[in-house]
Amino acid sequence: CEKIDAMKGCKIDGVVLTAPYYGGATDAIAVSWFSRIADRSPLPIYLYDLAVAVKYKITMPQCSKLPNDQRFSRFIRDTTK
């Protein structure tokens, strides 16, 4: 979250997030991670599904559990195809 704070005032369009990769993510951990960042960020959040690197696949059912407000963009970049 310190990096999110450091971006305030920067001329950027949003924040790109992967699932957390230390310790292995579960659905509950990933949803909590994305939600905490979205709550703290003044910028839109974009999900980057980089399962090959983080060993966790972002799914649409999981995304339905995320905050439904303008801070959280529902765009997902899928790198598995």
Side-chain angles (χ1 to χ4, degrees):
C1 288
E2 295 83 22
K3 292 185 184 210
I4 294 292
D5 292 340
M7 288 188 281
K8 292 178 182 172
C10 293
K11 293 181 180 183
I12 57 177
D13 295 327
V15 176
V16 178
L17 288 179
T18 64
Y21 53 90
Y22 292 111
T26 64
D27 285 351
I29 289 171
V31 168
S32 174
W33 165 253
F34 294 137
S35 298
R36 283 191 341 241
I37 299 298
D39 287 345
R40 184 109 180 219
S41 177
L43 303 165
I45 302 294
Y46 300 90
L47 299 183
Y48 190 5
D49 185 16
L50 193 58
V52 67
V54 300
K55 310 296 186 232
Y56 181 80
K57 174 88 176 127
I58 298 171
T59 64
M60 292 310 291
Q62 171 196 15
C63 289
S64 69
K65 299 174 184 173
L66 296 171
N68 189 18
D69 60 44
Q70 293 187 351
R71 294 173 301 165
F72 212 102
S73 296
R74 297 302 172 125
F75 300 105
I76 298 174
R77 169 72 171 118
D78 184 353
T79 61
T80 60
K81 296 180 181 177

Coordinates of all heavy atoms in Angstrom, one line a residue:
C1 N 0.8 -1.2 0.0 CA 0.0 0.0 0.0 C 0.9 1.3 0.0 O 0.4 2.3 -0.4 CB -0.9 0.0 1.2 SG -2.3 -1.2 1.0
E2 N 2.1 1.2 0.5 CA 3.0 2.3 0.4 C 3.2 2.8 -1.0 O 3.3 4.0 -1.3 CB 4.3 2.1 1.1 CG 4.2 1.8 2.6 CD 3.8 0.3 2.9 OE1 4.0 -0.6 2.0 OE2 3.3 0.0 4.0
K3 N 3.3 1.9 -1.9 CA 3.5 2.2 -3.3 C 2.3 2.9 -3.9 O 2.4 3.8 -4.7 CB 3.9 1.0 -4.1 CG 5.3 0.5 -3.7 CD 5.8 -0.6 -4.6 CE 7.1 -1.1 -4.0 NZ 8.0 -1.6 -4.9
I4 N 1.1 2.5 -3.5 CA -0.1 3.2 -3.9 C -0.1 4.6 -3.4 O -0.4 5.5 -4.2 CB -1.4 2.5 -3.4 CG1 -1.5 1.1 -4.0 CG2 -2.6 3.3 -3.6 CD1 -1.8 1.1 -5.5
D5 N 0.3 4.8 -2.2 CA 0.4 6.2 -1.6 C 1.4 7.0 -2.4 O 1.1 8.2 -2.6 CB 0.7 6.1 -0.1 CG -0.4 5.6 0.7 OD1 -1.5 5.5 0.3 OD2 -0.1 5.1 1.8
A6 N 2.5 6.4 -2.8 CA 3.5 7.1 -3.5 C 3.1 7.6 -4.9 O 3.6 8.5 -5.4 CB 4.8 6.3 -3.6
M7 N 2.1 6.9 -5.5 CA 1.6 7.3 -6.8 C 0.6 8.4 -6.8 O 0.3 8.9 -7.9 CB 1.0 6.0 -7.4 CG 2.0 5.0 -7.8 SD 1.3 3.7 -8.8 CE 0.6 2.7 -7.5
K8 N 0.1 8.8 -5.7 CA -0.9 9.9 -5.6 C -0.2 11.1 -6.2 O 0.9 11.5 -5.8 CB -1.3 10.1 -4.2 CG -2.2 9.0 -3.7 CD -2.6 9.2 -2.2 CE -3.4 8.0 -1.8 NZ -3.7 8.0 -0.3
G9 N -0.9 11.8 -7.1 CA -0.4 13.0 -7.7 C 0.4 12.7 -9.0 O 0.7 13.6 -9.7
C10 N 0.7 11.4 -9.3 CA 1.4 11.1 -10.5 C 0.5 11.1 -11.7 O -0.7 10.9 -11.5 CB 2.1 9.7 -10.4 SG 3.4 9.6 -9.2
K11 N 1.0 11.4 -12.9 CA 0.2 11.4 -14.1 C 0.1 10.0 -14.7 O 0.7 9.7 -15.7 CB 0.7 12.4 -15.0 CG 0.6 13.8 -14.5 CD 1.1 14.8 -15.6 CE 1.0 16.2 -15.0 NZ 1.4 17.2 -16.0
I12 N -0.7 9.1 -14.0 CA -0.9 7.8 -14.5 C -2.4 7.5 -14.6 O -3.2 8.1 -13.9 CB -0.1 6.7 -13.7 CG1 -0.6 6.8 -12.2 CG2 1.4 6.9 -13.8 CD1 0.1 5.7 -11.4
D13 N -2.8 6.5 -15.4 CA -4.2 6.2 -15.6 C -4.7 5.2 -14.7 O -6.0 5.1 -14.5 CB -4.4 5.8 -17.0 CG -4.1 6.9 -18.0 OD1 -4.4 8.1 -17.7 OD2 -3.7 6.6 -19.1
G14 N -3.9 4.4 -14.1 CA -4.4 3.3 -13.2 C -3.3 2.5 -12.6 O -2.1 2.7 -12.9
V15 N -3.7 1.5 -11.9 CA -2.8 0.5 -11.2 C -3.1 -0.9 -11.8 O -4.2 -1.3 -11.8 CB -3.0 0.6 -9.7 CG1 -2.1 -0.5 -9.0 CG2 -2.7 2.0 -9.1
V16 N -2.0 -1.6 -12.2 CA -2.2 -2.9 -12.7 C -1.7 -3.9 -11.6 O -0.6 -3.7 -11.0 CB -1.3 -3.2 -13.9 CG1 -1.5 -4.6 -14.4 CG2 -1.8 -2.2 -15.0
L17 N -2.6 -4.8 -11.2 CA -2.3 -5.8 -10.1 C -2.4 -7.2 -10.6 O -3.3 -7.6 -11.4 CB -3.4 -5.7 -9.0 CG -3.4 -4.4 -8.1 CD1 -4.5 -4.6 -7.1 CD2 -2.0 -4.3 -7.4
T18 N -1.4 -8.0 -10.2 CA -1.5 -9.4 -10.3 C -2.0 -10.0 -8.9 O -2.1 -9.2 -8.0 CB -0.1 -10.1 -10.6 OG1 0.7 -9.8 -9.5 CG2 0.5 -9.5 -11.8
A19 N -2.3 -11.2 -8.9 CA -2.6 -11.9 -7.6 C -1.4 -11.9 -6.8 O -0.3 -11.9 -7.3 CB -3.2 -13.3 -7.8
P20 N -1.5 -11.9 -5.4 CA -0.3 -12.0 -4.6 C 0.4 -13.3 -4.8 O -0.3 -14.3 -5.1 CB -0.9 -11.9 -3.2 CG -2.3 -12.3 -3.3 CD -2.8 -11.9 -4.7
Y21 N 1.7 -13.3 -4.8 CA 2.4 -14.5 -5.1 C 3.3 -15.1 -4.0 O 3.9 -16.1 -4.2 CB 3.2 -14.4 -6.4 CG 4.1 -13.2 -6.5 CD1 5.4 -13.3 -6.0 CD2 3.7 -12.0 -6.9 CE1 6.3 -12.2 -6.1 CE2 4.5 -10.9 -7.0 CZ 5.8 -11.0 -6.6 OH 6.6 -9.9 -6.6
Y22 N 3.4 -14.4 -2.9 CA 4.2 -14.9 -1.8 C 3.3 -15.8 -0.9 O 2.2 -15.3 -0.5 CB 4.8 -13.8 -1.0 CG 5.9 -13.1 -1.7 CD1 5.7 -11.8 -2.1 CD2 7.1 -13.7 -2.0 CE1 6.7 -11.1 -2.8 CE2 8.1 -13.0 -2.7 CZ 7.9 -11.7 -3.1 OH 8.9 -11.1 -3.8
G23 N 3.6 -17.0 -0.7 CA 2.8 -17.9 0.2 C 1.6 -18.6 -0.5 O 0.9 -19.3 0.1
G24 N 1.4 -18.3 -1.8 CA 0.3 -19.0 -2.5 C -1.0 -18.4 -2.2 O -1.4 -18.2 -1.1
A25 N -1.7 -18.0 -3.3 CA -3.0 -17.3 -3.1 C -4.1 -18.3 -3.2 O -4.1 -19.4 -3.8 CB -3.2 -16.3 -4.2
T26 N -5.2 -18.0 -2.4 CA -6.5 -18.7 -2.5 C -7.5 -17.7 -3.0 O -7.1 -16.5 -3.1 CB -6.9 -19.3 -1.1 OG1 -7.1 -18.1 -0.3 CG2 -5.8 -20.2 -0.6
D27 N -8.7 -18.1 -3.3 CA -9.7 -17.1 -3.7 C -9.9 -16.0 -2.6 O -9.9 -14.9 -2.9 CB -11.1 -17.8 -3.9 CG -11.1 -18.5 -5.2 OD1 -10.1 -18.4 -6.0 OD2 -12.1 -19.3 -5.5
A28 N -10.0 -16.5 -1.3 CA -10.2 -15.5 -0.2 C -9.0 -14.5 -0.1 O -9.2 -13.3 0.1 CB -10.4 -16.2 1.1
I29 N -7.8 -15.0 -0.2 CA -6.6 -14.1 -0.2 C -6.6 -13.2 -1.3 O -6.3 -12.0 -1.2 CB -5.3 -15.0 -0.1 CG1 -5.2 -15.7 1.2 CG2 -4.1 -14.1 -0.4 CD1 -4.1 -16.7 1.3
A30 N -6.9 -13.7 -2.5 CA -6.8 -12.8 -3.7 C -7.9 -11.7 -3.6 O -7.6 -10.5 -3.9 CB -7.0 -13.6 -5.0
V31 N -9.1 -12.1 -3.3 CA -10.2 -11.1 -3.2 C -9.9 -10.1 -2.1 O -10.0 -8.8 -2.3 CB -11.6 -11.8 -2.9 CG1 -12.6 -10.8 -2.5 CG2 -12.0 -12.6 -4.1
S32 N -9.3 -10.5 -1.0 CA -8.9 -9.6 0.1 C -7.8 -8.6 -0.4 O -7.9 -7.4 -0.2 CB -8.4 -10.3 1.3 OG -7.9 -9.5 2.3
W33 N -6.8 -9.1 -1.1 CA -5.7 -8.3 -1.6 C -6.2 -7.3 -2.6 O -5.9 -6.1 -2.5 CB -4.7 -9.3 -2.3 CG -3.7 -8.7 -3.2 CD1 -3.7 -8.7 -4.6 CD2 -2.6 -7.9 -2.9 NE1 -2.6 -8.1 -5.1 CE2 -1.9 -7.6 -4.0 CE3 -2.0 -7.5 -1.6 CZ2 -0.7 -6.8 -4.1 CZ3 -0.9 -6.8 -1.6 CH2 -0.2 -6.4 -2.8
F34 N -7.0 -7.7 -3.6 CA -7.5 -6.8 -4.6 C -8.4 -5.7 -3.9 O -8.4 -4.5 -4.3 CB -8.3 -7.5 -5.7 CG -7.5 -8.4 -6.5 CD1 -8.0 -9.7 -6.9 CD2 -6.2 -8.0 -7.0 CE1 -7.2 -10.5 -7.7 CE2 -5.5 -8.9 -7.8 CZ -6.0 -10.1 -8.2
S35 N -9.3 -6.1 -3.0 CA -10.2 -5.2 -2.3 C -9.4 -4.2 -1.5 O -9.8 -3.0 -1.5 CB -11.2 -6.0 -1.4 OG -11.9 -6.8 -2.2
R36 N -8.4 -4.6 -0.8 CA -7.6 -3.7 0.1 C -6.9 -2.6 -0.8 O -6.9 -1.5 -0.4 CB -6.6 -4.4 0.9 CG -7.2 -5.1 2.1 CD -6.1 -5.6 3.1 NE -4.8 -5.8 2.5 CZ -4.1 -6.9 2.4 NH1 -4.6 -8.0 2.9 NH2 -2.9 -6.9 1.9
I37 N -6.3 -3.1 -1.9 CA -5.7 -2.1 -2.8 C -6.7 -1.1 -3.4 O -6.5 0.1 -3.4 CB -4.9 -2.8 -3.9 CG1 -3.8 -3.7 -3.3 CG2 -4.3 -1.8 -4.9 CD1 -2.7 -3.0 -2.5
A38 N -7.8 -1.6 -3.9 CA -8.9 -0.8 -4.4 C -9.4 0.2 -3.4 O -9.6 1.4 -3.7 CB -10.0 -1.6 -5.0
D39 N -9.5 -0.2 -2.2 CA -10.0 0.7 -1.1 C -9.0 1.9 -0.9 O -9.4 3.0 -0.5 CB -10.2 0.0 0.2 CG -11.4 -0.9 0.2 OD1 -12.3 -0.7 -0.7 OD2 -11.6 -1.8 1.1
R40 N -7.7 1.6 -1.1 CA -6.7 2.6 -0.8 C -6.3 3.4 -2.0 O -5.8 4.6 -1.8 CB -5.4 1.8 -0.3 CG -4.3 2.7 0.1 CD -4.1 2.6 1.6 NE -3.0 3.4 2.0 CZ -2.2 3.0 3.0 NH1 -2.3 1.8 3.5 NH2 -1.3 3.8 3.4
S41 N -6.6 2.9 -3.2 CA -6.1 3.6 -4.4 C -7.1 4.7 -4.9 O -8.3 4.5 -5.0 CB -5.9 2.6 -5.5 OG -5.5 3.3 -6.7
P42 N -6.5 5.9 -5.2 CA -7.3 6.9 -5.8 C -7.5 6.7 -7.3 O -8.2 7.4 -8.0 CB -6.5 8.2 -5.6 CG -5.1 7.7 -5.6 CD -5.1 6.3 -5.0
L43 N -6.8 5.6 -7.8 CA -6.7 5.3 -9.3 C -7.5 4.1 -9.6 O -7.7 3.2 -8.7 CB -5.3 5.1 -9.7 CG -4.3 6.3 -9.4 CD1 -2.9 5.8 -9.5 CD2 -4.6 7.4 -10.3
P44 N -8.0 3.9 -10.8 CA -8.6 2.7 -11.2 C -7.7 1.5 -11.1 O -6.5 1.6 -11.2 CB -9.0 2.9 -12.7 CG -9.0 4.3 -12.9 CD -8.0 4.9 -11.9
I45 N -8.2 0.3 -10.7 CA -7.5 -0.9 -10.6 C -7.8 -1.8 -11.8 O -8.9 -2.1 -12.1 CB -7.8 -1.7 -9.3 CG1 -7.6 -0.8 -8.1 CG2 -7.1 -3.0 -9.2 CD1 -6.2 -0.4 -7.8
Y46 N -6.7 -2.3 -12.4 CA -6.8 -3.3 -13.5 C -6.2 -4.6 -13.1 O -5.1 -4.6 -12.6 CB -6.2 -2.7 -14.8 CG -6.8 -1.4 -15.2 CD1 -6.2 -0.2 -14.8 CD2 -7.8 -1.4 -16.1 CE1 -6.8 1.0 -15.2 CE2 -8.4 -0.2 -16.5 CZ -7.9 1.0 -16.1 OH -8.4 2.2 -16.4
L47 N -6.9 -5.7 -13.3 CA -6.3 -7.0 -13.0 C -5.5 -7.5 -14.1 O -5.9 -7.5 -15.3 CB -7.4 -8.0 -12.6 CG -8.3 -7.6 -11.4 CD1 -9.3 -8.7 -11.1 CD2 -7.4 -7.3 -10.2
Y48 N -4.4 -8.1 -13.8 CA -3.5 -8.7 -14.8 C -3.4 -10.2 -14.4 O -2.7 -10.5 -13.4 CB -2.1 -8.0 -14.8 CG -1.2 -8.4 -15.9 CD1 -1.6 -9.3 -16.9 CD2 0.1 -7.9 -15.9 CE1 -0.7 -9.6 -17.9 CE2 1.0 -8.2 -16.9 CZ 0.6 -9.1 -17.9 OH 1.5 -9.4 -18.9
D49 N -4.0 -11.1 -15.1 CA -4.0 -12.5 -14.9 C -2.6 -13.1 -15.4 O -2.5 -13.4 -16.5 CB -5.1 -13.2 -15.5 CG -5.2 -14.7 -15.1 OD1 -4.6 -15.1 -14.1 OD2 -6.0 -15.4 -15.8
L50 N -1.7 -13.2 -14.5 CA -0.3 -13.7 -14.9 C -0.1 -15.0 -14.1 O 0.9 -15.1 -13.4 CB 0.7 -12.6 -14.5 CG 2.1 -12.8 -15.0 CD1 2.1 -12.8 -16.6 CD2 3.0 -11.6 -14.6
A51 N -1.0 -15.9 -14.3 CA -1.0 -17.2 -13.6 C 0.3 -18.0 -13.7 O 0.8 -18.6 -12.7 CB -2.1 -18.1 -14.0
V52 N 1.0 -17.9 -14.8 CA 2.2 -18.6 -15.0 C 3.3 -18.1 -14.0 O 4.2 -18.9 -13.6 CB 2.7 -18.5 -16.5 CG1 3.1 -17.1 -16.8 CG2 3.9 -19.4 -16.7
A53 N 3.3 -16.9 -13.6 CA 4.3 -16.3 -12.7 C 3.8 -16.4 -11.2 O 4.6 -16.7 -10.4 CB 4.6 -14.9 -13.0
V54 N 2.5 -16.1 -11.0 CA 2.1 -16.1 -9.6 C 1.4 -17.4 -9.1 O 1.0 -17.5 -8.0 CB 1.1 -14.9 -9.3 CG1 1.9 -13.6 -9.6 CG2 -0.2 -15.0 -10.1
K55 N 1.2 -18.3 -10.0 CA 0.6 -19.6 -9.7 C -0.8 -19.5 -9.2 O -1.2 -20.3 -8.3 CB 1.5 -20.4 -8.7 CG 3.0 -20.4 -9.0 CD 3.2 -21.3 -10.3 CE 4.7 -21.4 -10.5 NZ 5.1 -21.1 -11.8
Y56 N -1.6 -18.5 -9.7 CA -2.9 -18.4 -9.3 C -3.7 -17.8 -10.5 O -3.3 -16.8 -11.1 CB -3.1 -17.4 -8.1 CG -4.5 -17.3 -7.7 CD1 -5.1 -18.2 -6.9 CD2 -5.2 -16.2 -8.1 CE1 -6.5 -18.1 -6.6 CE2 -6.6 -16.0 -7.8 CZ -7.2 -17.0 -7.0 OH -8.5 -16.8 -6.6
K57 N -4.8 -18.4 -10.9 CA -5.7 -18.0 -12.0 C -6.8 -17.1 -11.5 O -7.6 -17.5 -10.6 CB -6.2 -19.2 -12.7 CG -7.2 -18.9 -13.8 CD -6.4 -18.7 -15.1 CE -7.4 -18.5 -16.3 NZ -7.1 -17.3 -17.0
I58 N -6.9 -15.9 -12.0 CA -8.0 -15.0 -11.7 C -9.2 -15.5 -12.6 O -9.1 -15.6 -13.8 CB -7.7 -13.5 -12.1 CG1 -6.5 -13.1 -11.2 CG2 -8.9 -12.6 -11.8 CD1 -6.0 -11.7 -11.6
T59 N -10.4 -15.7 -11.9 CA -11.6 -16.2 -12.6 C -12.7 -15.2 -12.5 O -12.7 -14.3 -11.6 CB -12.0 -17.5 -12.0 OG1 -12.5 -17.2 -10.6 CG2 -11.0 -18.6 -12.0
M60 N -13.6 -15.3 -13.4 CA -14.8 -14.4 -13.4 C -15.6 -14.5 -12.2 O -16.1 -13.5 -11.6 CB -15.6 -14.5 -14.7 CG -14.9 -14.1 -15.9 SD -14.2 -12.4 -15.8 CE -15.6 -11.4 -15.7
P61 N -15.9 -15.8 -11.7 CA -16.7 -15.9 -10.4 C -16.0 -15.2 -9.2 O -16.6 -14.5 -8.4 CB -16.7 -17.4 -10.2 CG -16.6 -18.0 -11.5 CD -15.7 -17.1 -12.3
Q62 N -14.6 -15.2 -9.2 CA -13.9 -14.5 -8.2 C -14.1 -13.0 -8.3 O -14.3 -12.3 -7.4 CB -12.4 -14.9 -8.3 CG -11.5 -14.1 -7.4 CD -10.1 -14.2 -7.8 OE1 -9.8 -14.6 -8.9 NE2 -9.2 -13.7 -7.0
C63 N -14.1 -12.5 -9.6 CA -14.2 -11.1 -9.8 C -15.6 -10.6 -9.3 O -15.7 -9.4 -8.9 CB -14.0 -10.8 -11.3 SG -12.3 -10.9 -11.8
S64 N -16.6 -11.4 -9.3 CA -17.9 -11.0 -8.9 C -18.0 -10.7 -7.4 O -18.9 -10.0 -6.9 CB -19.0 -12.1 -9.2 OG -18.8 -13.2 -8.4
K65 N -16.9 -11.1 -6.7 CA -16.8 -10.8 -5.2 C -16.1 -9.5 -4.9 O -16.0 -9.2 -3.8 CB -16.1 -12.0 -4.5 CG -16.9 -13.3 -4.7 CD -16.0 -14.4 -4.1 CE -16.7 -15.8 -4.3 NZ -15.9 -16.9 -3.9
L66 N -15.6 -8.9 -6.0 CA -14.8 -7.7 -5.8 C -15.7 -6.4 -5.6 O -16.9 -6.5 -6.0 CB -13.9 -7.5 -7.0 CG -12.8 -8.6 -7.1 CD1 -12.1 -8.5 -8.4 CD2 -11.8 -8.6 -5.9
P67 N -15.2 -5.3 -5.1 CA -16.0 -4.1 -4.9 C -16.6 -3.7 -6.3 O -15.9 -3.8 -7.3 CB -15.0 -3.1 -4.5 CG -13.8 -3.9 -3.9 CD -13.8 -5.2 -4.6
N68 N -17.8 -3.2 -6.2 CA -18.5 -2.8 -7.4 C -18.6 -1.3 -7.4 O -19.7 -0.7 -7.1 CB -19.8 -3.4 -7.5 CG -20.5 -3.2 -8.9 OD1 -19.8 -2.8 -9.8 ND2 -21.8 -3.4 -9.0
D69 N -17.5 -0.6 -7.6 CA -17.5 0.9 -7.7 C -16.5 1.4 -8.7 O -15.9 0.6 -9.3 CB -17.2 1.5 -6.3 CG -15.9 1.1 -5.7 OD1 -14.9 1.1 -6.5 OD2 -15.8 0.8 -4.6
Q70 N -16.5 2.7 -8.9 CA -15.7 3.2 -10.0 C -14.2 3.1 -9.8 O -13.4 3.3 -10.7 CB -16.1 4.6 -10.3 CG -17.5 4.7 -10.9 CD -17.8 6.1 -11.3 OE1 -17.1 7.0 -11.1 NE2 -19.0 6.2 -12.0
R71 N -13.7 2.8 -8.6 CA -12.3 2.7 -8.3 C -11.8 1.4 -8.9 O -10.6 1.2 -9.1 CB -12.0 2.8 -6.8 CG -12.2 4.1 -6.2 CD -12.1 4.0 -4.8 NE -13.0 3.0 -4.2 CZ -12.9 2.5 -3.0 NH1 -12.0 2.9 -2.2 NH2 -13.8 1.7 -2.6
F72 N -12.7 0.4 -9.1 CA -12.3 -0.9 -9.5 C -12.7 -1.2 -10.9 O -13.9 -1.4 -11.1 CB -12.8 -2.0 -8.5 CG -12.0 -3.1 -8.3 CD1 -11.2 -3.3 -7.2 CD2 -11.9 -4.1 -9.3 CE1 -10.4 -4.3 -7.0 CE2 -11.1 -5.2 -9.1 CZ -10.3 -5.3 -8.0
S73 N -11.8 -1.3 -11.8 CA -12.1 -1.6 -13.2 C -12.2 -3.1 -13.3 O -11.5 -3.8 -12.7 CB -11.1 -1.1 -14.1 OG -11.0 0.3 -14.1
R74 N -13.1 -3.6 -14.2 CA -13.3 -5.0 -14.3 C -12.5 -5.6 -15.5 O -12.7 -6.7 -15.9 CB -14.8 -5.4 -14.5 CG -15.6 -5.0 -13.3 CD -15.1 -5.7 -12.1 NE -15.8 -5.2 -10.9 CZ -16.4 -5.9 -10.0 NH1 -16.5 -7.2 -10.2 NH2 -17.0 -5.4 -9.0
F75 N -11.5 -4.9 -16.0 CA -10.7 -5.4 -17.1 C -9.7 -6.4 -16.6 O -9.0 -6.1 -15.6 CB -10.1 -4.2 -17.9 CG -11.1 -3.2 -18.4 CD1 -11.2 -2.0 -17.8 CD2 -11.8 -3.6 -19.5 CE1 -12.2 -1.1 -18.3 CE2 -12.7 -2.7 -20.0 CZ -12.9 -1.4 -19.4
I76 N -9.6 -7.5 -17.3 CA -8.6 -8.5 -16.9 C -7.8 -8.8 -18.2 O -8.3 -9.1 -19.2 CB -9.3 -9.8 -16.4 CG1 -10.1 -9.5 -15.2 CG2 -8.2 -10.9 -16.2 CD1 -10.9 -10.7 -14.7
R77 N -6.5 -8.8 -18.0 CA -5.6 -9.2 -19.1 C -5.2 -10.7 -18.8 O -4.6 -11.0 -17.8 CB -4.3 -8.4 -19.1 CG -3.2 -8.9 -19.9 CD -3.5 -8.7 -21.4 NE -2.4 -9.0 -22.2 CZ -2.3 -10.0 -23.1 NH1 -3.4 -10.7 -23.3 NH2 -1.2 -10.2 -23.8
D78 N -5.6 -11.6 -19.7 CA -5.4 -13.0 -19.5 C -4.2 -13.4 -20.3 O -4.2 -13.3 -21.5 CB -6.7 -13.8 -20.0 CG -6.5 -15.3 -19.7 OD1 -5.5 -15.7 -19.4 OD2 -7.5 -15.9 -19.9
T79 N -3.2 -13.9 -19.7 CA -1.9 -14.3 -20.4 C -1.9 -15.8 -20.7 O -0.8 -16.2 -21.1 CB -0.7 -13.9 -19.6 OG1 -0.7 -14.6 -18.3 CG2 -0.6 -12.4 -19.3
T80 N -2.9 -16.5 -20.4 CA -2.9 -17.9 -20.6 C -3.2 -18.4 -22.0 O -3.1 -19.6 -22.3 CB -3.8 -18.7 -19.6 OG1 -5.1 -18.2 -19.8 CG2 -3.3 -18.4 -18.2
K81 N -3.7 -17.5 -22.8 CA -4.2 -17.9 -24.2 C -3.2 -17.4 -25.2 O -2.4 -16.5 -25.1 CB -5.5 -17.3 -24.5 CG -6.5 -17.8 -23.5 CD -7.9 -17.3 -23.8 CE -8.8 -17.9 -22.8 NZ -10.1 -17.4 -22.8

